Amino acid sequence: MNFDFSEDQYLLRDSVRGFLSDHWGFARLRAAGGQFDPKLWEGLCGLGLQTLLVPEAFGGAGLSLEDAVLSFEEFGRALVPGPMTDTILVSEVIARFGSDAVRADLLSAIAAGRARLAFAHAEAGAGRDPEQVTVVASQHGAGWRLRGRKILVPAADVATTLAVSARMPDGCCGLFLCSAADARVERNNSIDPDGMGCRVDLADVAAIALGEAALARLVATSTVAASAQMIGIADAALEMAVSYAKQRTQFDRPIGSFQAIKHKCADMLMATETARSAAYYASWAAAGDPGFGLAVAIAKAASGDACRLVCNACLQIHGGVGFTWAFDVHLLMKRGKVLEYSFGDATWHREKVAGLILPEVLVSC
Amino acid sequence: MNFDFSEDQYLLRDSVRGFLSDHWGFARLRAAGGQFDPKLWEGLCGLGLQTLLVPEAFGGAGLSLEDAVLSFEEFGRALVPGPMTDTILVSEVIARFGSDAVRADLLSAIAAGRARLAFAHAEAGAGRDPEQVTVVASQHGAGWRLRGRKILVPAADVATTLAVSARMPDGCCGLFLCSAADARVERNNSIDPDGMGCRVDLADVAAIALGEAALARLVATSTVAASAQMIGIADAALEMAVSYAKQRTQFDRPIGSFQAIKHKCADMLMATETARSAAYYASWAAAGDPGFGLAVAIAKAASGDACRLVCNACLQIHGGVGFTWAFDVHLLMKRGKVLEYSFGDATWHREKVAGLILPEVLVSC
Amino acid sequence: MDFRYTDAEEQFRREVRDWLQANLPPGWGSTFQEPENEAERFAFRLDWERKLHAAGWSGISWPKAYGGRGGTLVEQTIFQEELARANAPEFVNIIGRNLTAPTLMAHGTEAQKQRFLPKILSSEEIWCQGFSEPNSGSDLASLRCRLVADADEFVLNGQKIWTSFAQYAQWCFVLARTDPTVPKHQGLSFILLDMATPGITIRPLVQITGETDFNEVFFDDVRIPKANLVGELNQGWRIAMTTLTYERGPEEALPRLVRIRRDLDSILQIAAAPRADGSRSADDPAVRQKLAQSYIDLELMRLTGLRSFSRLLKGEAIGPEASLNKLYWSEMYQRMTETAIEVAGEAGPLMPGDPDAPAGGAFALKYLQSRAMTIYSGSSEIQRNIIAERVLGLPR
Amino acid sequence: MDFRYTDAEEQFRREVRDWLQANLPPGWGSTFQEPENEAERFAFRLDWERKLHAAGWSGISWPKAYGGRGGTLVEQTIFQEELARANAPEFVNIIGRNLTAPTLMAHGTEAQKQRFLPKILSSEEIWCQGFSEPNSGSDLASLRCRLVADADEFVLNGQKIWTSFAQYAQWCFVLARTDPTVPKHQGLSFILLDMATPGITIRPLVQITGETDFNEVFFDDVRIPKANLVGELNQGWRIAMTTLTYERGPEEALPRLVRIRRDLDSILQIAAAPRADGSRSADDPAVRQKLAQSYIDLELMRLTGLRSFSRLLKGEAIGPEASLNKLYWSEMYQRMTETAIEVAGEAGPLMPGDPDAPAGGAFALKYLQSRAMTIYSGSSEIQRNIIAERVLGLPR
């Protein structure tokens, strides 16, 4: 019984945090203006992050989602944009579900920092049900063709390969890989321009199938990564709010001495810490625990609710200046907003939880 | 455009409040120990309350639900138990839907203060859907027979006549009148013993049918009355909380000077005042406005949420003493709890609202 | 109680509606769009506002002596409801109409009323509000702008912030410190400032939406005639409270409500849009709970506003309880914009300009805009303090 | 991370489970009911507690020197989980075990430990807690009970309140004022009081549930040997903080969680009961949201408790962040009992004893009981102050 990370896991976290604090930050983020920052990518590759989940046989570190989760949290805290998260996560499903040829080809390119991957899953017509996938995969000789549109694909415009969810002729959804060069990619006008979300139009693009299980795995790990990023965002927003509340004075007192602010901050910490527990646990359960599905739904629901509460409260505590572009509050809030609604929001995941817990009882009564 | 009561309506409210403040109160309520208090009944009859909605032709005041709503609010504030609320409301459906014989018989008895009525609607097996009525009405010659069990019927053990909702052979539900003497009536062990809620067992009891529309009307007016009572309860609980917060000191200050308490009280007032608007409006709409159904659902949802919030906060503000029998907080909270779940709770009524507002849009898009 | 309108009021409503239909730009609400550029949009709205005035629709309930129509408060509300129902262009002289005018009517001299009120109505003079300062937000009374008497003038120095319309305004009402030696509420004065006076610098502030609705305004030895003082010297706090009550009360809330109702209708339509498998967000009972709650919130806002409004109609004054209106609509609207994004799902965070944005991205934008609502006109924390202390009488 | 138990731990769990199955009264959990009368129920539970002790199941992780089993913290938790899973009778010497003992282990003399700890474990001596006073609730440090030195004894005067188990207890730990001339936190001392001492009056308080779990306790010239002082004179506040940390921390929360999980299972079963038309509350997605949220709340409580617990296992101390555990479970449990009544609908307010009460009226009762949880052991307001000031470092 040990719900804590190992020394090695913390060391990795510290090196990511150290790199980001030295070479990244809100000033650099603003300077990048939503454009791909090759130095950031190279720096993260220099830490070996892109190979975290690549098996050692393919030149990777062969680690698990539990090892990666603290890095995702740091990505959230520092609002790291771009293709690193998806590259890490897609590499895992390629290793697990790809053919020998695909693995040999892509995994070594990833390990070498040459390949950048993006997961194209969200669709505009899905409403609030992320399982409403309408991109169609049709068989074409030995391969597949993809047709349809995805939205908010992170950094698809600088990715080399896209992992695309698509509906197959049997009505089920599977994961497909295609070359990013074959798709028409444009930036979405997202609430979070720094997140580099792209609209991806696929007009009979040739693709390789990784299958249904690969999609399920990638959706689950992406959901955990989104949860961890939201925890990082919430943590940063809480820190920003507490620091501002200590320094801003009104009525001749720091506003942090007013109970209304104090109690709001206490609730922010509570929400962040409890959701953090759920995100960490889900990353552990990803290694094969039968409760993984439930853990994922709980993590996403809790971290989505926490991130919303904390970001909203952070802006409120800042007052007028929090509503200005010059302060950094909105950067956190906007990234959080995209993540909150990605892969299903808290309400959607609560229904998932209900579906998983209620049948058990029905059997027993 | 006038959203205010008339001078006459306020005068009636003042006379009810005055009587209750002189001749009733938490001390008398406690002394009554959940038993019928004939003096309270007679006093309220002395004000003519039982005839409020009885047409003038039958010796009543011929007033409307709008005229009565402030009295229901006072009943809530003073936790008036017993059969007066139901007597007022059932008299209206008898006047509207009863045969000449029934009207002649019952309305004059009500006006004379001889008849006491109770509305038997709730059932234990209904779960959270109050429309799950299982009491069966079957035809028997020219009349009807009722079979089944009702719960939490207010003061059924001192009522002379019961108005019972029952399912008819065609699957629809209607309202029936039967003699209370023909039913087996025992007190429920309710969270609110002072509310005099009774279990009513009907074993082929002879009954007169008032019909489906009568039931719909009585459910609607009872829902408004429950909302108004909850507003009265919330108002009393807010007053109690504010008064305690002004007088109780901790850390050498009245606890009401702490923002945590202040803001809780502000939220209590906000919830009470906004729900009050909805309850008042529903009482006006009861006179035939096409939006009555929607107004009822909004009133019950808002007042149920408000009453819960305010009673819970009132106890919390009192701290330990609020948890003791000796303080009056729990009396308000317990009555509120029964009313909150009567005739459908806030969640159930929100779904009603959704059903009423969504079709309109669908037509227009 | 009576929620109906008189025949005369209904007739008035029809007149307004007909006039609006005849006079709004052709294609308004469908093919016609307001200019996207902020300055052009301002000019467009100002034109519209002047057109309304020319047609006699300005200051419905104001006395004729000040250029108004001499109508009733109910007519005024009907007029604003109809503007909102037609989604007519927003007013640009909001601050002049809603804040300067009632403040002057309550506290101004007859000369001030005659001088300023007609030009507010005609939008010849646009107004802005000089209250908040960088270090005086919630603690407004701590403000440091100094107003010093010098011969028959005052001299103003200092800085204001969050000044909407400052870049367009001809006039500004300013709350400034005239006596720093007394307790902070007792040394403030309320004065009217011609924005053409030398020494004023305006710097726009970019909001989190990218828009620049408000500004910082710097005063460097700005000279103001003594005649521009409203009320007595050092009585400014009481006058400012009048202004804030109008900013927070039912007259502000009721027309706003009609616009919020349009937003809710639009959310219900997003919710009712069929998805790939034919299902709709509106079929999901968990979503229905939130949509219904937004509808309930709005109805509670309307009815509670009408209760306050009925008191106004009877000639009663609205005091600190105006904070209930402001607190309620700001918080309900924030919840509603979040529900809107939830209903839209993964496409919810798309902004105006994105071809896939639901409702043209209106709600991602409105979500961001709504964040300011619980801050301006007194933060929710301040409103709760006011309600607790001044309505419920809890100790400071 | 590793959420599995070792083989030895699993073996220990099986032993506990087998023993409980063999030793709980026949029909326990089905036909066998605890006595309804409070005093009889106390006696029943005390018997059970002594039976556990006799079988060597008391003080699993305590040192053998003080009568414990010398096991690990994990074993201790497994043991308490199994007790909760079997819905075993509650302990009556909770305060002795959970508060007196860890406080004495941290601050007591060796003689005090030898004297008191074994008899706590054997339940030979039941304990109660003398902290709160009528005028010192949230502001505990303002307490007025006076403890005055007189020769080789102290003399205690004053009143305590909310004293659970006072009517059964042989001992009480008391926080009292020994120096009224210094700032309030610096003049308090922590002392152990034999409840058989002359001058003690106990008066039961009736709760809103009708139960009488707690009491007022009056002290009238009660004489206490000086040897009963814990720690130094006037150092009582620091010692009391140790006690409160144990009252709020993960060791308290984790076993409680297992009982809450049993409650949630029971609510899910009510929700799954078919109604007249065959439908179930559990089919209503709006209800499912609340049931799911209760499940999530519980899982967050478990996981966050385990994170704290892992720190304990590594030998780290739990400080003011214990308040996070207490605040979370008390508020989530209140929400859960309201969801339970909602699921039960109109029959939800029926109490134990009513033939139609869902789950025997357990939740109407638990709803009422839960109201105290955000008050005792420090109100939610106090916990939030502690979190804000002592965890986040916000200014007082």
Side-chain angles (χ1 to χ4, degrees), chain B residues 1-5 66 246 257 259 262-263 267 270 273-274 276-278 281 284 294 347 350-351 355 358 361-362, chain C residues 1-4 269 272 280 288-289 292-293 295 300 303-304 307 310 314 324 381 384-385 388-389 392-393 395-396:
Chain B
M1 173 52 56
N2 174 27
F3 192 175
D4 199 359
F5 293 95
E66 181 193 329
K246 286 177 183 170
S257 70
Q259 250 184 353
K262 272 187 196 176
H263 288 194
D267 287 338
M270 178 71 88
E273 282 303 316
T274 52
R276 188 196 297 271
S277 306
Y281 181 74
W284 173 82
L294 184 56
T347 304
R350 268 191 292 274
E351 174 54 38
L358 278 162
V361 173
L362 300 195
Chain C
M1 270 179 220
D2 190 354
F3 292 89
R4 293 164 309 177
Q269 294 197 9
R280 313 169 312 157
R288 290 164 73 85
Q289 284 288 314
Q293 188 58 49
Y295 189 92
L300 298 186
L303 295 170
T304 306
R307 276 174 65 215
S310 293
K314 295 189 174 167
L324 287 163
E381 288 75 18
R384 287 192 172 85
N385 282 351
E389 292 167 10
L392 293 173
R396 279 181 179 274

Coordinates of all heavy atoms in Angstrom, one line a residue, chain B residues 1-5 66 246 257 259 262-263 267 270 273-274 276-278 281 284 294 347 350-351 355 358 361-362, chain C residues 1-4 269 272 280 288-289 292-293 295 300 303-304 307 310 314 324 381 384-385 388-389 392-393 395-396:
Chain B
M1 N -49.6 46.4 -14.7 CA -48.5 45.7 -14.2 C -48.3 46.0 -12.7 O -48.0 47.2 -12.4 CB -47.2 46.2 -15.0 CG -45.9 45.7 -14.5 SD -45.8 43.9 -14.3 CE -46.3 43.4 -16.0
N2 N -48.6 45.0 -11.9 CA -48.4 45.3 -10.5 C -48.2 43.9 -9.8 O -49.0 43.1 -9.7 CB -49.7 45.9 -9.9 CG -49.7 46.0 -8.4 OD1 -48.6 46.1 -7.8 ND2 -50.8 45.9 -7.8
F3 N -46.9 43.8 -9.4 CA -46.6 42.5 -8.7 C -46.5 42.8 -7.2 O -45.5 42.8 -6.6 CB -45.3 42.0 -9.2 CG -45.0 40.6 -8.7 CD1 -43.9 39.9 -9.2 CD2 -45.8 39.9 -7.9 CE1 -43.6 38.6 -8.8 CE2 -45.6 38.6 -7.5 CZ -44.4 37.9 -8.0
D4 N -47.7 43.1 -6.7 CA -47.8 43.3 -5.2 C -49.2 42.9 -4.8 O -50.1 42.9 -5.6 CB -47.5 44.8 -4.9 CG -47.1 45.0 -3.4 OD1 -47.1 44.0 -2.7 OD2 -46.9 46.2 -3.1
F5 N -49.3 42.7 -3.5 CA -50.6 42.3 -3.0 C -51.4 43.6 -2.7 O -50.9 44.7 -2.5 CB -50.5 41.5 -1.8 CG -49.9 40.1 -2.0 CD1 -48.5 39.9 -1.9 CD2 -50.7 39.1 -2.5 CE1 -48.0 38.6 -2.2 CE2 -50.2 37.8 -2.8 CZ -48.8 37.6 -2.6
E66 N -54.5 33.4 -4.9 CA -53.6 34.6 -4.7 C -53.9 35.2 -3.3 O -53.0 35.7 -2.7 CB -53.8 35.6 -5.8 CG -53.0 36.8 -5.7 CD -53.5 37.9 -6.7 OE1 -54.0 37.6 -7.8 OE2 -53.4 39.1 -6.3
K246 N -26.2 37.8 15.2 CA -25.9 39.2 15.7 C -25.6 39.1 17.2 O -24.9 39.9 17.7 CB -27.2 40.1 15.6 CG -27.4 40.6 14.2 CD -28.7 41.4 14.1 CE -29.0 41.8 12.7 NZ -30.3 42.4 12.5
S257 N -20.4 39.2 12.1 CA -19.5 40.1 11.5 C -18.4 39.4 10.7 O -17.6 40.0 10.0 CB -18.8 40.9 12.6 OG -17.9 40.1 13.4
Q259 N -17.3 37.3 7.5 CA -17.8 37.2 6.1 C -18.4 35.9 5.8 O -19.3 35.8 5.0 CB -16.6 37.5 5.1 CG -16.8 38.9 4.5 CD -15.7 39.1 3.4 OE1 -14.8 38.4 3.3 NE2 -15.9 40.2 2.7
K262 N -21.8 36.2 7.0 CA -22.5 37.3 6.3 C -22.9 36.8 4.9 O -24.0 37.0 4.5 CB -21.5 38.5 6.1 CG -21.6 39.4 7.2 CD -20.7 40.7 6.8 CE -20.5 41.5 8.0 NZ -19.6 42.6 7.8
H263 N -22.0 36.2 4.2 CA -22.2 35.8 2.8 C -23.2 34.6 2.8 O -24.1 34.6 1.9 CB -20.9 35.5 2.1 CG -20.1 36.7 1.8 ND1 -19.1 36.7 0.9 CD2 -20.3 38.0 2.2 CE1 -18.6 38.0 0.8 NE2 -19.3 38.7 1.7
D267 N -26.8 34.8 0.8 CA -27.3 33.8 -0.1 C -28.6 33.2 0.4 O -29.5 32.9 -0.5 CB -26.3 32.6 -0.2 CG -25.0 33.1 -1.0 OD1 -25.1 34.0 -1.8 OD2 -24.0 32.4 -0.8
M270 N -31.2 35.8 -0.7 CA -31.3 35.7 -2.2 C -32.2 34.6 -2.5 O -33.2 34.7 -3.3 CB -30.0 35.6 -2.8 CG -30.0 35.5 -4.3 SD -30.4 37.0 -5.0 CE -28.8 37.7 -5.2
E273 N -35.9 35.2 -1.3 CA -36.6 36.3 -2.0 C -37.0 35.9 -3.5 O -38.0 36.2 -4.0 CB -35.8 37.6 -2.0 CG -35.9 38.3 -0.7 CD -37.3 38.6 -0.3 OE1 -38.1 39.1 -1.2 OE2 -37.7 38.4 0.8
T274 N -36.0 35.2 -4.1 CA -36.3 34.8 -5.5 C -37.4 33.7 -5.6 O -38.3 33.8 -6.4 CB -35.0 34.4 -6.2 OG1 -34.3 33.4 -5.5 CG2 -34.1 35.6 -6.5
R276 N -39.6 33.3 -3.4 CA -40.9 33.9 -3.0 C -41.6 34.5 -4.2 O -42.8 34.4 -4.3 CB -40.6 35.0 -1.9 CG -41.8 35.6 -1.3 CD -41.4 37.0 -0.6 NE -40.4 36.8 0.5 CZ -40.8 36.6 1.7 NH1 -42.0 36.4 2.1 NH2 -39.8 36.5 2.7
S277 N -40.8 35.2 -5.0 CA -41.4 35.7 -6.2 C -42.1 34.7 -7.0 O -43.2 34.9 -7.6 CB -40.3 36.4 -7.1 OG -39.5 37.3 -6.4
A278 N -41.5 33.5 -7.1 CA -42.0 32.4 -7.9 C -43.3 31.9 -7.3 O -44.3 31.6 -8.0 CB -41.0 31.3 -8.1
Y281 N -46.1 34.4 -7.8 CA -46.6 34.5 -9.1 C -47.4 33.2 -9.5 O -48.5 33.4 -10.1 CB -45.4 34.5 -10.1 CG -45.7 34.6 -11.5 CD1 -46.3 35.8 -12.1 CD2 -45.6 33.5 -12.4 CE1 -46.6 35.8 -13.4 CE2 -46.0 33.5 -13.7 CZ -46.5 34.7 -14.2 OH -46.8 34.8 -15.5
W284 N -50.9 33.7 -8.4 CA -51.7 34.6 -9.3 C -52.1 33.8 -10.6 O -53.2 33.8 -11.0 CB -50.8 35.8 -9.7 CG -51.5 36.6 -10.8 CD1 -52.4 37.6 -10.6 CD2 -51.2 36.6 -12.2 NE1 -52.8 38.1 -11.8 CE2 -52.1 37.5 -12.8 CE3 -50.4 35.8 -13.0 CZ2 -52.1 37.8 -14.2 CZ3 -50.4 36.0 -14.4 CH2 -51.2 37.0 -14.9
L294 N -46.3 25.7 -15.7 CA -44.9 26.1 -15.7 C -44.6 26.9 -14.4 O -43.6 26.6 -13.7 CB -44.6 26.9 -16.9 CG -43.1 27.3 -17.1 CD1 -42.2 26.2 -17.1 CD2 -43.0 28.1 -18.4
T347 N -35.7 18.5 -8.3 CA -35.2 17.8 -9.5 C -36.3 17.4 -10.4 O -36.3 17.6 -11.6 CB -34.3 16.6 -9.1 OG1 -33.3 17.1 -8.2 CG2 -33.7 15.9 -10.3
R350 N -37.8 20.4 -12.0 CA -37.0 20.9 -13.1 C -37.2 20.1 -14.4 O -37.2 20.7 -15.5 CB -35.5 20.9 -12.7 CG -35.0 22.1 -12.0 CD -33.5 22.2 -11.9 NE -33.0 21.2 -11.0 CZ -32.9 21.4 -9.7 NH1 -33.3 22.5 -9.1 NH2 -32.5 20.4 -8.8
E351 N -37.3 18.8 -14.3 CA -37.6 18.0 -15.5 C -39.0 18.4 -16.1 O -39.1 18.5 -17.3 CB -37.6 16.5 -15.2 CG -38.0 15.6 -16.3 CD -37.2 15.8 -17.6 OE1 -36.0 16.1 -17.6 OE2 -37.9 15.7 -18.7
G355 N -39.5 19.8 -19.8 CA -40.6 19.3 -20.8 C -41.5 20.4 -21.3 O -41.9 20.3 -22.4
L358 N -38.9 23.0 -23.6 CA -38.1 22.5 -24.8 C -39.0 22.3 -26.0 O -38.6 22.6 -27.1 CB -37.3 21.2 -24.4 CG -36.0 21.6 -23.7 CD1 -35.4 20.4 -23.0 CD2 -35.0 22.1 -24.8
V361 N -39.3 25.3 -28.4 CA -38.1 25.6 -29.2 C -38.1 24.6 -30.4 O -37.8 25.0 -31.5 CB -36.9 25.4 -28.4 CG1 -35.7 25.6 -29.3 CG2 -36.9 26.4 -27.3
L362 N -38.4 23.4 -30.1 CA -38.3 22.4 -31.2 C -39.2 22.8 -32.4 O -38.8 22.6 -33.5 CB -38.6 21.0 -30.7 CG -37.7 20.6 -29.5 CD1 -37.9 19.1 -29.3 CD2 -36.3 20.9 -29.9
Chain C
M1 N -52.5 41.9 -7.5 CA -51.5 41.6 -8.6 C -52.2 41.6 -9.9 O -53.3 41.2 -10.1 CB -51.0 40.2 -8.4 CG -49.8 40.0 -7.5 SD -49.5 38.3 -7.3 CE -49.0 38.3 -5.6
D2 N -51.4 42.1 -10.9 CA -51.9 42.1 -12.2 C -50.7 42.2 -13.2 O -49.9 43.1 -13.2 CB -52.8 43.3 -12.5 CG -53.5 43.2 -13.8 OD1 -53.2 42.3 -14.5 OD2 -54.4 44.0 -14.0
F3 N -50.5 41.1 -13.9 CA -49.3 41.0 -14.8 C -49.7 41.5 -16.2 O -48.9 41.4 -17.1 CB -48.7 39.7 -14.7 CG -48.1 39.4 -13.4 CD1 -48.8 38.8 -12.4 CD2 -46.8 39.7 -13.2 CE1 -48.3 38.5 -11.1 CE2 -46.2 39.5 -11.9 CZ -47.0 38.9 -10.9
R4 N -50.9 41.9 -16.4 CA -51.3 42.3 -17.7 C -51.0 43.8 -17.9 O -50.7 44.5 -17.0 CB -52.8 42.1 -17.9 CG -53.2 40.6 -17.9 CD -54.7 40.5 -17.7 NE -55.1 41.3 -16.5 CZ -56.4 41.4 -16.1 NH1 -57.3 40.8 -16.8 NH2 -56.6 42.1 -15.0
Q269 N -31.9 26.0 -28.6 CA -31.8 25.6 -30.0 C -30.6 24.7 -30.3 O -30.6 23.7 -31.0 CB -31.9 26.8 -31.0 CG -33.3 27.4 -30.9 CD -33.6 28.3 -32.0 OE1 -32.9 28.4 -33.0 NE2 -34.7 29.1 -31.9
A272 N -31.2 21.4 -29.0 CA -32.2 20.6 -29.8 C -31.7 20.2 -31.2 O -32.4 19.5 -31.9 CB -33.4 21.5 -30.0
R280 N -30.2 14.2 -29.4 CA -30.0 15.6 -29.2 C -29.5 15.8 -27.7 O -29.9 15.0 -26.8 CB -31.3 16.4 -29.4 CG -32.0 16.0 -30.7 CD -33.4 16.6 -30.7 NE -34.1 16.4 -29.4 CZ -35.1 17.1 -29.0 NH1 -35.5 18.1 -29.7 NH2 -35.7 16.8 -27.8
R288 N -31.0 18.5 -19.4 CA -32.3 19.2 -19.2 C -32.4 19.8 -17.8 O -33.0 20.9 -17.7 CB -33.4 18.1 -19.4 CG -33.6 17.6 -20.8 CD -34.4 16.3 -20.9 NE -35.8 16.5 -20.6 CZ -36.7 16.9 -21.6 NH1 -36.3 17.1 -22.8 NH2 -38.0 17.0 -21.3
Q289 N -31.8 19.2 -16.8 CA -31.8 19.8 -15.5 C -31.1 21.2 -15.6 O -31.6 22.2 -15.0 CB -31.0 18.9 -14.5 CG -31.7 17.7 -14.0 CD -32.9 18.0 -13.1 OE1 -32.7 18.8 -12.2 NE2 -34.0 17.4 -13.3
A292 N -33.3 23.7 -17.6 CA -34.4 24.1 -16.9 C -34.0 25.0 -15.8 O -34.7 26.0 -15.5 CB -35.1 22.8 -16.3
Q293 N -32.9 24.8 -15.1 CA -32.4 25.6 -14.1 C -32.1 27.0 -14.6 O -32.4 28.0 -14.0 CB -31.2 25.1 -13.3 CG -30.8 25.9 -12.1 CD -32.0 25.9 -11.1 OE1 -32.6 24.9 -10.7 NE2 -32.3 27.1 -10.6
Y295 N -33.6 28.4 -17.1 CA -34.9 29.0 -17.4 C -35.5 29.5 -16.0 O -36.1 30.6 -16.0 CB -35.9 28.0 -18.0 CG -37.2 28.6 -18.5 CD1 -37.3 29.1 -19.8 CD2 -38.2 28.7 -17.7 CE1 -38.5 29.7 -20.2 CE2 -39.4 29.3 -18.1 CZ -39.5 29.8 -19.4 OH -40.7 30.4 -19.8
L300 N -36.9 33.7 -12.2 CA -36.8 34.2 -10.8 C -36.2 35.7 -10.9 O -36.6 36.6 -10.2 CB -35.9 33.4 -10.0 CG -36.3 31.9 -9.7 CD1 -35.4 31.3 -8.7 CD2 -37.8 31.9 -9.2
L303 N -39.2 37.8 -12.2 CA -40.3 38.1 -11.2 C -39.8 38.9 -10.0 O -40.5 39.8 -9.5 CB -40.8 36.7 -10.7 CG -41.5 35.9 -11.8 CD1 -41.8 34.5 -11.3 CD2 -42.8 36.6 -12.3
T304 N -38.5 38.6 -9.6 CA -38.0 39.4 -8.5 C -37.8 40.9 -8.9 O -38.0 41.8 -8.2 CB -36.7 38.8 -7.9 OG1 -37.0 37.4 -7.6 CG2 -36.2 39.5 -6.7
R307 N -41.1 42.5 -8.9 CA -41.5 42.9 -7.5 C -40.8 44.3 -7.1 O -41.5 45.1 -6.6 CB -41.2 41.8 -6.5 CG -42.2 40.8 -6.4 CD -41.8 39.6 -5.6 NE -41.7 40.0 -4.2 CZ -40.8 39.4 -3.4 NH1 -39.9 38.5 -3.8 NH2 -40.7 39.8 -2.1
S310 N -42.4 47.1 -9.2 CA -43.7 47.5 -8.7 C -43.6 48.4 -7.5 O -44.4 49.3 -7.3 CB -44.5 46.2 -8.2 OG -44.9 45.5 -9.3
K314 N -44.9 52.4 -7.3 CA -45.7 53.0 -6.2 C -44.9 54.2 -5.6 O -45.3 54.7 -4.6 CB -45.9 52.0 -5.2 CG -46.8 50.9 -5.7 CD -47.3 49.9 -4.6 CE -48.3 49.0 -5.3 NZ -48.7 47.8 -4.5
L324 N -29.4 42.8 -4.7 CA -29.9 41.4 -4.9 C -30.1 41.2 -6.4 O -29.8 40.1 -7.0 CB -31.3 41.2 -4.2 CG -31.2 41.1 -2.7 CD1 -32.6 41.3 -2.1 CD2 -30.7 39.7 -2.3
E381 N -18.6 39.7 -4.0 CA -18.3 39.8 -2.6 C -18.8 41.0 -1.9 O -19.3 41.0 -0.8 CB -16.8 39.7 -2.4 CG -16.2 38.3 -2.7 CD -16.1 37.9 -4.2 OE1 -16.2 38.9 -5.0 OE2 -16.0 36.7 -4.5
R384 N -22.6 40.9 -1.6 CA -23.0 40.1 -0.4 C -22.8 40.8 0.9 O -23.5 40.7 1.8 CB -22.3 38.7 -0.4 CG -22.8 37.8 -1.5 CD -22.3 36.3 -1.3 NE -22.9 35.4 -2.2 CZ -22.5 35.2 -3.5 NH1 -21.5 35.8 -4.0 NH2 -23.2 34.4 -4.3
N385 N -21.7 41.6 0.9 CA -21.5 42.4 2.1 C -22.6 43.4 2.3 O -23.1 43.6 3.4 CB -20.2 43.2 2.0 CG -18.9 42.4 2.3 OD1 -19.0 41.2 2.7 ND2 -17.8 43.0 2.0
A388 N -25.8 41.7 3.4 CA -25.7 41.2 4.8 C -25.8 42.4 5.7 O -26.5 42.4 6.7 CB -24.4 40.4 5.0
E389 N -25.0 43.5 5.4 CA -24.9 44.6 6.4 C -26.1 45.6 6.3 O -26.6 46.0 7.3 CB -23.6 45.3 6.2 CG -22.4 44.5 6.6 CD -21.1 45.0 6.1 OE1 -21.0 46.2 5.6 OE2 -20.0 44.3 6.2
L392 N -29.8 43.0 5.8 CA -30.1 42.2 6.9 C -29.6 42.8 8.2 O -29.9 42.2 9.3 CB -29.4 40.8 6.7 CG -30.0 40.0 5.6 CD1 -29.2 38.7 5.3 CD2 -31.5 39.6 5.9
G393 N -28.8 43.8 8.2 CA -28.4 44.5 9.4 C -27.3 43.7 10.2 O -27.2 43.9 11.4
P395 N -23.6 43.0 11.7 CA -22.6 44.0 12.0 C -21.4 44.0 11.1 O -21.1 43.0 10.5 CB -22.2 43.5 13.4 CG -22.6 42.1 13.5 CD -23.8 41.9 12.6
R396 N -20.8 45.1 10.9 CA -19.6 45.3 10.0 C -18.5 44.4 10.5 O -18.3 44.2 11.7 CB -19.2 46.7 10.0 CG -20.1 47.5 9.0 CD -19.6 48.9 8.9 NE -20.5 49.5 7.9 CZ -20.3 49.5 6.6 NH1 -19.2 48.9 6.1 NH2 -21.2 50.0 5.8

